[in-house]
Amino acid sequence: ALLGVLAANLPSFARTSDAAYAPPGGPPADVAAWFVLTALVLTKFVALFSILFGAGLALQRDRARAAGGAFERPYLRRLGVLAVLGLLHGTLLFPGDILFIYSLAGLALFLLRDARPRTCLVLAGLLFAVGAALSVVVITAEEPPTPPPGPALAWGPGENVTLEQLWTADFDPDWPALERKAYGEGPWRSTLLMNTAGYALWLFVSSLISFNWRVLAWFLVGAALVRLDFFAARRRSWQLRCAWIAGPAGLALEVFSTARRLAAGSADGDAVAILATEVGATLLALGYLGGVTLFAASGLLPRLRAGLAAAGRTALSQYVGQSVVACLLFRWYGLGLYGRLANAELLALALVVFTLQVAAASLWLRRHRSGPLEAVWRRLTYGTAR
């Protein structure tokens, strides 16, 4: 999940929003890399991450009750800390942060903490349907007439992006120009202001389309899987069905949807492409989930499994750490690679960075019980890092 989230997020760090996920018109290798990213990665791994996050929250509740310990207050404090971390992450590093959205979805899951697995799955289905309908309506709606373009935005040396420019900006071409200035040139005030504005816009737009609705639906799916004991050896037949039935069905839908987007030259595509992705992304995520669950129980490649487990035990630190690394690579205050890398290069970079993350997590856990941010999260929740 962490590897896929990294690969999906890197284009947001590396390019302006209008070019981040648009079908490229360059060399065949770049088009192929975009196709792989869109069909196999985008949405699928945030779905997997969300299912596992919801499963983790449900597991904490079930274990606390089984041990006779307190659950409600620590759980709510945990979500509160996550919300603060998300707001800091979104405004300081990555305007596409999901931690704050996760805290809200976790609160909704708290209200449904006693729901039966079947109830969770039915509610998830309804949320998927509402989100899909919203996405089709919003993304395929006719745009209002474009007013005549104003003068192109320009800045002198050391000048900052201003609130007035952000407030009056047109999405095309003003917003990409603001991003190039803030992320490619700086200075700090422009970068932080652009982060904050972009994050606020993301939180608003993600509610208008299916994203936030699907996050809660995925949380409910994860909670249901825990209570159905999906990850146990006795559920191997379920895991096989996810890997060999849901996964290929989702892959077929995603390939179909991505081909339509490529033909249309649009990152969103038409209503058919949107609906195919709405269904296909979750099916393919379940396919990944079933396949990795079978692999984890197989005993194969023990070093790889241990490395992935180490990354999973430090998931919060790894997620935020990915943003730190991406900022140092692409922002003006780092290597300044903003707008310079093609899709194939970004995919290769994701593999390199994640390999280093796995190695770092393995080394860290030799001396520590959990990741650094996990320790902070636990201390602020329970008053102790252990």
Side-chain angles (χ1 to χ4, degrees), residues 188-223:
W188 285 105
R189 180 180 173 185
S190 295
T191 303
L192 295 175
L193 186 61
M194 195 70 208
N195 276 349
T196 304
Y199 187 38
L201 181 63
W202 161 242
L203 292 177
F204 174 69
V205 171
S206 62
S207 298
L208 293 182
I209 57 176
S210 65
F211 187 84
N212 292 357
W213 301 81
R214 283 193 288 182
V215 166
L216 179 53
W218 291 323
F219 270 38
L220 289 167
V221 170

PDB file of all heavy atoms in Angstrom, residues 188-223:
ATOM      1  N   TRP A 188       9.786  30.860   0.719  1.00  0.00           N
ATOM      2  CA  TRP A 188       9.031  30.051   1.668  1.00  0.00           C
ATOM      3  C   TRP A 188       7.589  30.492   1.807  1.00  0.00           C
ATOM      4  O   TRP A 188       6.680  29.680   1.873  1.00  0.00           O
ATOM      5  CB  TRP A 188       9.707  30.073   3.042  1.00  0.00           C
ATOM      6  CG  TRP A 188      10.942  29.234   3.114  1.00  0.00           C
ATOM      7  CD1 TRP A 188      12.233  29.677   3.126  1.00  0.00           C
ATOM      8  CD2 TRP A 188      11.004  27.804   3.144  1.00  0.00           C
ATOM      9  NE1 TRP A 188      13.105  28.611   3.171  1.00  0.00           N
ATOM     10  CE2 TRP A 188      12.377  27.449   3.186  1.00  0.00           C
ATOM     11  CE3 TRP A 188      10.053  26.794   3.138  1.00  0.00           C
ATOM     12  CZ2 TRP A 188      12.806  26.130   3.230  1.00  0.00           C
ATOM     13  CZ3 TRP A 188      10.482  25.477   3.178  1.00  0.00           C
ATOM     14  CH2 TRP A 188      11.834  25.154   3.221  1.00  0.00           C
ATOM     15  N   ARG A 189       7.366  31.794   1.878  1.00  0.00           N
ATOM     16  CA  ARG A 189       5.996  32.276   2.072  1.00  0.00           C
ATOM     17  C   ARG A 189       5.092  31.827   0.941  1.00  0.00           C
ATOM     18  O   ARG A 189       3.956  31.410   1.168  1.00  0.00           O
ATOM     19  CB  ARG A 189       5.999  33.804   2.183  1.00  0.00           C
ATOM     20  CG  ARG A 189       4.618  34.399   2.399  1.00  0.00           C
ATOM     21  CD  ARG A 189       4.679  35.916   2.508  1.00  0.00           C
ATOM     22  NE  ARG A 189       3.347  36.499   2.549  1.00  0.00           N
ATOM     23  CZ  ARG A 189       3.109  37.797   2.550  1.00  0.00           C
ATOM     24  NH1 ARG A 189       4.119  38.666   2.529  1.00  0.00           N
ATOM     25  NH2 ARG A 189       1.878  38.256   2.568  1.00  0.00           N
ATOM     26  N   SER A 190       5.600  31.882  -0.279  1.00  0.00           N
ATOM     27  CA  SER A 190       4.801  31.436  -1.429  1.00  0.00           C
ATOM     28  C   SER A 190       4.496  29.946  -1.341  1.00  0.00           C
ATOM     29  O   SER A 190       3.369  29.508  -1.608  1.00  0.00           O
ATOM     30  CB  SER A 190       5.556  31.734  -2.730  1.00  0.00           C
ATOM     31  OG  SER A 190       5.702  33.118  -2.928  1.00  0.00           O
ATOM     32  N   THR A 191       5.501  29.152  -0.957  1.00  0.00           N
ATOM     33  CA  THR A 191       5.322  27.705  -0.878  1.00  0.00           C
ATOM     34  C   THR A 191       4.277  27.342   0.172  1.00  0.00           C
ATOM     35  O   THR A 191       3.362  26.544  -0.081  1.00  0.00           O
ATOM     36  CB  THR A 191       6.654  27.025  -0.550  1.00  0.00           C
ATOM     37  OG1 THR A 191       7.625  27.389  -1.527  1.00  0.00           O
ATOM     38  CG2 THR A 191       6.504  25.503  -0.531  1.00  0.00           C
ATOM     39  N   LEU A 192       4.386  27.934   1.354  1.00  0.00           N
ATOM     40  CA  LEU A 192       3.443  27.614   2.428  1.00  0.00           C
ATOM     41  C   LEU A 192       2.039  28.110   2.109  1.00  0.00           C
ATOM     42  O   LEU A 192       1.043  27.441   2.410  1.00  0.00           O
ATOM     43  CB  LEU A 192       3.937  28.203   3.744  1.00  0.00           C
ATOM     44  CG  LEU A 192       5.247  27.609   4.281  1.00  0.00           C
ATOM     45  CD1 LEU A 192       5.697  28.353   5.527  1.00  0.00           C
ATOM     46  CD2 LEU A 192       5.079  26.126   4.576  1.00  0.00           C
ATOM     47  N   LEU A 193       1.945  29.273   1.485  1.00  0.00           N
ATOM     48  CA  LEU A 193       0.630  29.805   1.112  1.00  0.00           C
ATOM     49  C   LEU A 193      -0.016  28.922   0.051  1.00  0.00           C
ATOM     50  O   LEU A 193      -1.218  28.621   0.117  1.00  0.00           O
ATOM     51  CB  LEU A 193       0.781  31.236   0.602  1.00  0.00           C
ATOM     52  CG  LEU A 193      -0.519  31.989   0.316  1.00  0.00           C
ATOM     53  CD1 LEU A 193      -1.366  32.118   1.577  1.00  0.00           C
ATOM     54  CD2 LEU A 193      -0.204  33.379  -0.242  1.00  0.00           C
ATOM     55  N   MET A 194       0.774  28.463  -0.908  1.00  0.00           N
ATOM     56  CA  MET A 194       0.238  27.590  -1.961  1.00  0.00           C
ATOM     57  C   MET A 194      -0.166  26.243  -1.377  1.00  0.00           C
ATOM     58  O   MET A 194      -1.208  25.679  -1.762  1.00  0.00           O
ATOM     59  CB  MET A 194       1.293  27.393  -3.039  1.00  0.00           C
ATOM     60  CG  MET A 194       0.744  26.826  -4.337  1.00  0.00           C
ATOM     61  SD  MET A 194      -0.276  28.041  -5.188  1.00  0.00           S
ATOM     62  CE  MET A 194      -1.403  26.946  -6.076  1.00  0.00           C
ATOM     63  N   ASN A 195       0.642  25.702  -0.455  1.00  0.00           N
ATOM     64  CA  ASN A 195       0.272  24.459   0.217  1.00  0.00           C
ATOM     65  C   ASN A 195      -1.075  24.596   0.906  1.00  0.00           C
ATOM     66  O   ASN A 195      -1.959  23.727   0.780  1.00  0.00           O
ATOM     67  CB  ASN A 195       1.329  24.088   1.260  1.00  0.00           C
ATOM     68  CG  ASN A 195       2.509  23.344   0.682  1.00  0.00           C
ATOM     69  OD1 ASN A 195       2.477  22.905  -0.465  1.00  0.00           O
ATOM     70  ND2 ASN A 195       3.548  23.206   1.466  1.00  0.00           N
ATOM     71  N   THR A 196      -1.251  25.669   1.664  1.00  0.00           N
ATOM     72  CA  THR A 196      -2.477  25.862   2.435  1.00  0.00           C
ATOM     73  C   THR A 196      -3.680  26.015   1.518  1.00  0.00           C
ATOM     74  O   THR A 196      -4.738  25.409   1.747  1.00  0.00           O
ATOM     75  CB  THR A 196      -2.333  27.092   3.344  1.00  0.00           C
ATOM     76  OG1 THR A 196      -1.186  26.931   4.183  1.00  0.00           O
ATOM     77  CG2 THR A 196      -3.570  27.277   4.207  1.00  0.00           C
ATOM     78  N   ALA A 197      -3.524  26.828   0.468  1.00  0.00           N
ATOM     79  CA  ALA A 197      -4.639  27.027  -0.468  1.00  0.00           C
ATOM     80  C   ALA A 197      -4.966  25.733  -1.206  1.00  0.00           C
ATOM     81  O   ALA A 197      -6.139  25.364  -1.369  1.00  0.00           O
ATOM     82  CB  ALA A 197      -4.281  28.126  -1.460  1.00  0.00           C
ATOM     83  N   GLY A 198      -3.919  25.013  -1.649  1.00  0.00           N
ATOM     84  CA  GLY A 198      -4.153  23.757  -2.356  1.00  0.00           C
ATOM     85  C   GLY A 198      -4.787  22.703  -1.469  1.00  0.00           C
ATOM     86  O   GLY A 198      -5.649  21.936  -1.914  1.00  0.00           O
ATOM     87  N   TYR A 199      -4.379  22.690  -0.203  1.00  0.00           N
ATOM     88  CA  TYR A 199      -4.938  21.712   0.736  1.00  0.00           C
ATOM     89  C   TYR A 199      -6.404  22.002   1.017  1.00  0.00           C
ATOM     90  O   TYR A 199      -7.241  21.088   1.036  1.00  0.00           O
ATOM     91  CB  TYR A 199      -4.114  21.741   2.022  1.00  0.00           C
ATOM     92  CG  TYR A 199      -4.475  20.668   3.027  1.00  0.00           C
ATOM     93  CD1 TYR A 199      -4.814  19.387   2.634  1.00  0.00           C
ATOM     94  CD2 TYR A 199      -4.455  20.946   4.391  1.00  0.00           C
ATOM     95  CE1 TYR A 199      -5.126  18.402   3.554  1.00  0.00           C
ATOM     96  CE2 TYR A 199      -4.767  19.967   5.325  1.00  0.00           C
ATOM     97  CZ  TYR A 199      -5.094  18.710   4.900  1.00  0.00           C
ATOM     98  OH  TYR A 199      -5.397  17.744   5.824  1.00  0.00           O
ATOM     99  N   ALA A 200      -6.728  23.281   1.233  1.00  0.00           N
ATOM    100  CA  ALA A 200      -8.131  23.646   1.456  1.00  0.00           C
ATOM    101  C   ALA A 200      -8.980  23.285   0.237  1.00  0.00           C
ATOM    102  O   ALA A 200     -10.108  22.774   0.371  1.00  0.00           O
ATOM    103  CB  ALA A 200      -8.232  25.144   1.760  1.00  0.00           C
ATOM    104  N   LEU A 201      -8.443  23.538  -0.948  1.00  0.00           N
ATOM    105  CA  LEU A 201      -9.178  23.195  -2.173  1.00  0.00           C
ATOM    106  C   LEU A 201      -9.363  21.684  -2.279  1.00  0.00           C
ATOM    107  O   LEU A 201     -10.447  21.203  -2.651  1.00  0.00           O
ATOM    108  CB  LEU A 201      -8.411  23.727  -3.383  1.00  0.00           C
ATOM    109  CG  LEU A 201      -9.057  23.481  -4.747  1.00  0.00           C
ATOM    110  CD1 LEU A 201     -10.390  24.205  -4.843  1.00  0.00           C
ATOM    111  CD2 LEU A 201      -8.111  23.944  -5.865  1.00  0.00           C
ATOM    112  N   TRP A 202      -8.328  20.908  -1.943  1.00  0.00           N
ATOM    113  CA  TRP A 202      -8.417  19.460  -2.000  1.00  0.00           C
ATOM    114  C   TRP A 202      -9.481  18.931  -1.042  1.00  0.00           C
ATOM    115  O   TRP A 202     -10.283  18.061  -1.407  1.00  0.00           O
ATOM    116  CB  TRP A 202      -7.063  18.850  -1.689  1.00  0.00           C
ATOM    117  CG  TRP A 202      -7.094  17.405  -1.276  1.00  0.00           C
ATOM    118  CD1 TRP A 202      -6.700  16.887  -0.095  1.00  0.00           C
ATOM    119  CD2 TRP A 202      -7.549  16.286  -2.059  1.00  0.00           C
ATOM    120  NE1 TRP A 202      -6.865  15.518  -0.064  1.00  0.00           N
ATOM    121  CE2 TRP A 202      -7.386  15.125  -1.263  1.00  0.00           C
ATOM    122  CE3 TRP A 202      -8.063  16.159  -3.340  1.00  0.00           C
ATOM    123  CZ2 TRP A 202      -7.733  13.866  -1.722  1.00  0.00           C
ATOM    124  CZ3 TRP A 202      -8.416  14.891  -3.794  1.00  0.00           C
ATOM    125  CH2 TRP A 202      -8.240  13.771  -2.991  1.00  0.00           C
ATOM    126  N   LEU A 203      -9.520  19.438   0.184  1.00  0.00           N
ATOM    127  CA  LEU A 203     -10.512  18.980   1.149  1.00  0.00           C
ATOM    128  C   LEU A 203     -11.925  19.273   0.649  1.00  0.00           C
ATOM    129  O   LEU A 203     -12.856  18.495   0.882  1.00  0.00           O
ATOM    130  CB  LEU A 203     -10.278  19.639   2.504  1.00  0.00           C
ATOM    131  CG  LEU A 203      -9.004  19.227   3.249  1.00  0.00           C
ATOM    132  CD1 LEU A 203      -8.859  20.016   4.543  1.00  0.00           C
ATOM    133  CD2 LEU A 203      -8.986  17.734   3.526  1.00  0.00           C
ATOM    134  N   PHE A 204     -12.094  20.391  -0.053  1.00  0.00           N
ATOM    135  CA  PHE A 204     -13.412  20.745  -0.591  1.00  0.00           C
ATOM    136  C   PHE A 204     -13.776  19.861  -1.779  1.00  0.00           C
ATOM    137  O   PHE A 204     -14.849  19.249  -1.814  1.00  0.00           O
ATOM    138  CB  PHE A 204     -13.411  22.220  -0.996  1.00  0.00           C
ATOM    139  CG  PHE A 204     -14.669  22.659  -1.683  1.00  0.00           C
ATOM    140  CD1 PHE A 204     -15.874  22.745  -0.984  1.00  0.00           C
ATOM    141  CD2 PHE A 204     -14.663  22.978  -3.032  1.00  0.00           C
ATOM    142  CE1 PHE A 204     -17.042  23.144  -1.626  1.00  0.00           C
ATOM    143  CE2 PHE A 204     -15.817  23.377  -3.679  1.00  0.00           C
ATOM    144  CZ  PHE A 204     -17.014  23.460  -2.971  1.00  0.00           C
ATOM    145  N   VAL A 205     -12.861  19.747  -2.733  1.00  0.00           N
ATOM    146  CA  VAL A 205     -13.153  18.998  -3.964  1.00  0.00           C
ATOM    147  C   VAL A 205     -13.330  17.509  -3.659  1.00  0.00           C
ATOM    148  O   VAL A 205     -14.188  16.841  -4.252  1.00  0.00           O
ATOM    149  CB  VAL A 205     -12.033  19.216  -5.003  1.00  0.00           C
ATOM    150  CG1 VAL A 205     -12.192  18.276  -6.188  1.00  0.00           C
ATOM    151  CG2 VAL A 205     -12.040  20.657  -5.472  1.00  0.00           C
ATOM    152  N   SER A 206     -12.536  16.973  -2.732  1.00  0.00           N
ATOM    153  CA  SER A 206     -12.628  15.541  -2.434  1.00  0.00           C
ATOM    154  C   SER A 206     -13.976  15.164  -1.848  1.00  0.00           C
ATOM    155  O   SER A 206     -14.374  13.995  -1.881  1.00  0.00           O
ATOM    156  CB  SER A 206     -11.507  15.127  -1.475  1.00  0.00           C
ATOM    157  OG  SER A 206     -11.608  15.816  -0.237  1.00  0.00           O
ATOM    158  N   SER A 207     -14.699  16.147  -1.311  1.00  0.00           N
ATOM    159  CA  SER A 207     -16.052  15.888  -0.808  1.00  0.00           C
ATOM    160  C   SER A 207     -17.086  15.956  -1.924  1.00  0.00           C
ATOM    161  O   SER A 207     -18.144  15.332  -1.832  1.00  0.00           O
ATOM    162  CB  SER A 207     -16.413  16.907   0.278  1.00  0.00           C
ATOM    163  OG  SER A 207     -15.545  16.796   1.383  1.00  0.00           O
ATOM    164  N   LEU A 208     -16.781  16.726  -2.975  1.00  0.00           N
ATOM    165  CA  LEU A 208     -17.724  16.849  -4.087  1.00  0.00           C
ATOM    166  C   LEU A 208     -17.684  15.634  -5.000  1.00  0.00           C
ATOM    167  O   LEU A 208     -18.688  15.292  -5.626  1.00  0.00           O
ATOM    168  CB  LEU A 208     -17.399  18.102  -4.911  1.00  0.00           C
ATOM    169  CG  LEU A 208     -17.607  19.450  -4.228  1.00  0.00           C
ATOM    170  CD1 LEU A 208     -17.283  20.573  -5.199  1.00  0.00           C
ATOM    171  CD2 LEU A 208     -19.039  19.594  -3.721  1.00  0.00           C
ATOM    172  N   ILE A 209     -16.497  15.006  -5.095  1.00  0.00           N
ATOM    173  CA  ILE A 209     -16.380  13.799  -5.913  1.00  0.00           C
ATOM    174  C   ILE A 209     -16.407  12.586  -4.980  1.00  0.00           C
ATOM    175  O   ILE A 209     -16.744  12.698  -3.814  1.00  0.00           O
ATOM    176  CB  ILE A 209     -15.108  13.836  -6.774  1.00  0.00           C
ATOM    177  CG1 ILE A 209     -13.861  13.997  -5.897  1.00  0.00           C
ATOM    178  CG2 ILE A 209     -15.184  14.959  -7.793  1.00  0.00           C
ATOM    179  CD1 ILE A 209     -12.558  13.943  -6.668  1.00  0.00           C
ATOM    180  N   SER A 210     -16.022  11.438  -5.485  1.00  0.00           N
ATOM    181  CA  SER A 210     -16.233  10.208  -4.719  1.00  0.00           C
ATOM    182  C   SER A 210     -15.183   9.947  -3.653  1.00  0.00           C
ATOM    183  O   SER A 210     -15.371   9.062  -2.818  1.00  0.00           O
ATOM    184  CB  SER A 210     -16.265   9.008  -5.681  1.00  0.00           C
ATOM    185  OG  SER A 210     -15.000   8.837  -6.292  1.00  0.00           O
ATOM    186  N   PHE A 211     -14.081  10.696  -3.627  1.00  0.00           N
ATOM    187  CA  PHE A 211     -12.942  10.283  -2.817  1.00  0.00           C
ATOM    188  C   PHE A 211     -13.300  10.084  -1.353  1.00  0.00           C
ATOM    189  O   PHE A 211     -13.070   9.023  -0.774  1.00  0.00           O
ATOM    190  CB  PHE A 211     -11.797  11.289  -2.947  1.00  0.00           C
ATOM    191  CG  PHE A 211     -10.532  10.836  -2.262  1.00  0.00           C
ATOM    192  CD1 PHE A 211      -9.650   9.990  -2.907  1.00  0.00           C
ATOM    193  CD2 PHE A 211     -10.248  11.227  -0.967  1.00  0.00           C
ATOM    194  CE1 PHE A 211      -8.497   9.549  -2.280  1.00  0.00           C
ATOM    195  CE2 PHE A 211      -9.093  10.792  -0.333  1.00  0.00           C
ATOM    196  CZ  PHE A 211      -8.219   9.952  -0.989  1.00  0.00           C
ATOM    197  N   ASN A 212     -13.823  11.111  -0.696  1.00  0.00           N
ATOM    198  CA  ASN A 212     -14.106  10.995   0.737  1.00  0.00           C
ATOM    199  C   ASN A 212     -15.165   9.944   1.033  1.00  0.00           C
ATOM    200  O   ASN A 212     -15.099   9.247   2.055  1.00  0.00           O
ATOM    201  CB  ASN A 212     -14.556  12.342   1.293  1.00  0.00           C
ATOM    202  CG  ASN A 212     -13.437  13.368   1.307  1.00  0.00           C
ATOM    203  OD1 ASN A 212     -12.303  13.061   0.958  1.00  0.00           O
ATOM    204  ND2 ASN A 212     -13.748  14.595   1.688  1.00  0.00           N
ATOM    205  N   TRP A 213     -16.127   9.813   0.138  1.00  0.00           N
ATOM    206  CA  TRP A 213     -17.164   8.796   0.319  1.00  0.00           C
ATOM    207  C   TRP A 213     -16.562   7.401   0.226  1.00  0.00           C
ATOM    208  O   TRP A 213     -16.918   6.499   0.990  1.00  0.00           O
ATOM    209  CB  TRP A 213     -18.242   8.973  -0.752  1.00  0.00           C
ATOM    210  CG  TRP A 213     -18.895  10.315  -0.716  1.00  0.00           C
ATOM    211  CD1 TRP A 213     -18.419  11.479  -1.247  1.00  0.00           C
ATOM    212  CD2 TRP A 213     -20.146  10.646  -0.097  1.00  0.00           C
ATOM    213  NE1 TRP A 213     -19.285  12.513  -0.999  1.00  0.00           N
ATOM    214  CE2 TRP A 213     -20.357  12.038  -0.305  1.00  0.00           C
ATOM    215  CE3 TRP A 213     -21.113   9.913   0.588  1.00  0.00           C
ATOM    216  CZ2 TRP A 213     -21.497  12.686   0.159  1.00  0.00           C
ATOM    217  CZ3 TRP A 213     -22.247  10.557   1.048  1.00  0.00           C
ATOM    218  CH2 TRP A 213     -22.423  11.928   0.835  1.00  0.00           C
ATOM    219  N   ARG A 214     -15.619   7.249  -0.710  1.00  0.00           N
ATOM    220  CA  ARG A 214     -14.986   5.943  -0.858  1.00  0.00           C
ATOM    221  C   ARG A 214     -14.057   5.625   0.306  1.00  0.00           C
ATOM    222  O   ARG A 214     -13.929   4.464   0.692  1.00  0.00           O
ATOM    223  CB  ARG A 214     -14.207   5.887  -2.178  1.00  0.00           C
ATOM    224  CG  ARG A 214     -15.102   5.699  -3.384  1.00  0.00           C
ATOM    225  CD  ARG A 214     -14.310   5.342  -4.613  1.00  0.00           C
ATOM    226  NE  ARG A 214     -13.548   6.482  -5.120  1.00  0.00           N
ATOM    227  CZ  ARG A 214     -12.796   6.431  -6.221  1.00  0.00           C
ATOM    228  NH1 ARG A 214     -12.686   5.310  -6.905  1.00  0.00           N
ATOM    229  NH2 ARG A 214     -12.152   7.506  -6.627  1.00  0.00           N
ATOM    230  N   VAL A 215     -13.392   6.640   0.873  1.00  0.00           N
ATOM    231  CA  VAL A 215     -12.524   6.385   2.020  1.00  0.00           C
ATOM    232  C   VAL A 215     -13.329   5.770   3.161  1.00  0.00           C
ATOM    233  O   VAL A 215     -12.935   4.764   3.760  1.00  0.00           O
ATOM    234  CB  VAL A 215     -11.821   7.675   2.484  1.00  0.00           C
ATOM    235  CG1 VAL A 215     -11.203   7.488   3.870  1.00  0.00           C
ATOM    236  CG2 VAL A 215     -10.725   8.058   1.487  1.00  0.00           C
ATOM    237  N   LEU A 216     -14.479   6.359   3.477  1.00  0.00           N
ATOM    238  CA  LEU A 216     -15.318   5.805   4.535  1.00  0.00           C
ATOM    239  C   LEU A 216     -15.814   4.412   4.154  1.00  0.00           C
ATOM    240  O   LEU A 216     -15.854   3.501   4.999  1.00  0.00           O
ATOM    241  CB  LEU A 216     -16.499   6.734   4.825  1.00  0.00           C
ATOM    242  CG  LEU A 216     -17.475   6.260   5.906  1.00  0.00           C
ATOM    243  CD1 LEU A 216     -16.751   5.917   7.207  1.00  0.00           C
ATOM    244  CD2 LEU A 216     -18.558   7.302   6.147  1.00  0.00           C
ATOM    245  N   ALA A 217     -16.168   4.222   2.884  1.00  0.00           N
ATOM    246  CA  ALA A 217     -16.615   2.893   2.438  1.00  0.00           C
ATOM    247  C   ALA A 217     -15.486   1.872   2.611  1.00  0.00           C
ATOM    248  O   ALA A 217     -15.713   0.751   3.076  1.00  0.00           O
ATOM    249  CB  ALA A 217     -17.066   2.955   0.982  1.00  0.00           C
ATOM    250  N   TRP A 218     -14.263   2.255   2.250  1.00  0.00           N
ATOM    251  CA  TRP A 218     -13.128   1.339   2.416  1.00  0.00           C
ATOM    252  C   TRP A 218     -12.857   1.054   3.892  1.00  0.00           C
ATOM    253  O   TRP A 218     -12.507  -0.071   4.249  1.00  0.00           O
ATOM    254  CB  TRP A 218     -11.887   1.921   1.745  1.00  0.00           C
ATOM    255  CG  TRP A 218     -11.968   1.950   0.248  1.00  0.00           C
ATOM    256  CD1 TRP A 218     -12.541   1.005  -0.571  1.00  0.00           C
ATOM    257  CD2 TRP A 218     -11.466   2.961  -0.624  1.00  0.00           C
ATOM    258  NE1 TRP A 218     -12.435   1.380  -1.894  1.00  0.00           N
ATOM    259  CE2 TRP A 218     -11.774   2.571  -1.963  1.00  0.00           C
ATOM    260  CE3 TRP A 218     -10.783   4.166  -0.425  1.00  0.00           C
ATOM    261  CZ2 TRP A 218     -11.412   3.352  -3.067  1.00  0.00           C
ATOM    262  CZ3 TRP A 218     -10.426   4.934  -1.522  1.00  0.00           C
ATOM    263  CH2 TRP A 218     -10.741   4.521  -2.827  1.00  0.00           C
ATOM    264  N   PHE A 219     -13.004   2.047   4.742  1.00  0.00           N
ATOM    265  CA  PHE A 219     -12.870   1.819   6.183  1.00  0.00           C
ATOM    266  C   PHE A 219     -13.873   0.765   6.644  1.00  0.00           C
ATOM    267  O   PHE A 219     -13.540  -0.134   7.426  1.00  0.00           O
ATOM    268  CB  PHE A 219     -13.124   3.129   6.942  1.00  0.00           C
ATOM    269  CG  PHE A 219     -11.888   3.961   7.171  1.00  0.00           C
ATOM    270  CD1 PHE A 219     -10.898   4.056   6.213  1.00  0.00           C
ATOM    271  CD2 PHE A 219     -11.726   4.670   8.345  1.00  0.00           C
ATOM    272  CE1 PHE A 219      -9.764   4.827   6.419  1.00  0.00           C
ATOM    273  CE2 PHE A 219     -10.605   5.446   8.570  1.00  0.00           C
ATOM    274  CZ  PHE A 219      -9.614   5.530   7.610  1.00  0.00           C
ATOM    275  N   LEU A 220     -15.107   0.878   6.183  1.00  0.00           N
ATOM    276  CA  LEU A 220     -16.145  -0.073   6.574  1.00  0.00           C
ATOM    277  C   LEU A 220     -15.838  -1.471   6.042  1.00  0.00           C
ATOM    278  O   LEU A 220     -16.073  -2.473   6.733  1.00  0.00           O
ATOM    279  CB  LEU A 220     -17.508   0.401   6.074  1.00  0.00           C
ATOM    280  CG  LEU A 220     -18.085   1.630   6.780  1.00  0.00           C
ATOM    281  CD1 LEU A 220     -19.263   2.198   6.000  1.00  0.00           C
ATOM    282  CD2 LEU A 220     -18.519   1.276   8.203  1.00  0.00           C
ATOM    283  N   VAL A 221     -15.314  -1.543   4.836  1.00  0.00           N
ATOM    284  CA  VAL A 221     -14.911  -2.845   4.287  1.00  0.00           C
ATOM    285  C   VAL A 221     -13.815  -3.453   5.152  1.00  0.00           C
ATOM    286  O   VAL A 221     -13.852  -4.645   5.493  1.00  0.00           O
ATOM    287  CB  VAL A 221     -14.433  -2.695   2.829  1.00  0.00           C
ATOM    288  CG1 VAL A 221     -13.778  -3.990   2.335  1.00  0.00           C
ATOM    289  CG2 VAL A 221     -15.599  -2.321   1.924  1.00  0.00           C
ATOM    290  N   GLY A 222     -12.831  -2.650   5.547  1.00  0.00           N
ATOM    291  CA  GLY A 222     -11.759  -3.149   6.396  1.00  0.00           C
ATOM    292  C   GLY A 222     -12.264  -3.642   7.735  1.00  0.00           C
ATOM    293  O   GLY A 222     -11.844  -4.705   8.224  1.00  0.00           O
ATOM    294  N   ALA A 223     -13.183  -2.874   8.343  1.00  0.00           N
ATOM    295  CA  ALA A 223     -13.757  -3.291   9.624  1.00  0.00           C
ATOM    296  C   ALA A 223     -14.523  -4.600   9.473  1.00  0.00           C
ATOM    297  O   ALA A 223     -14.437  -5.499  10.326  1.00  0.00           O
ATOM    298  CB  ALA A 223     -14.671  -2.191  10.165  1.00  0.00           C
TER     299      ALA A 223
END
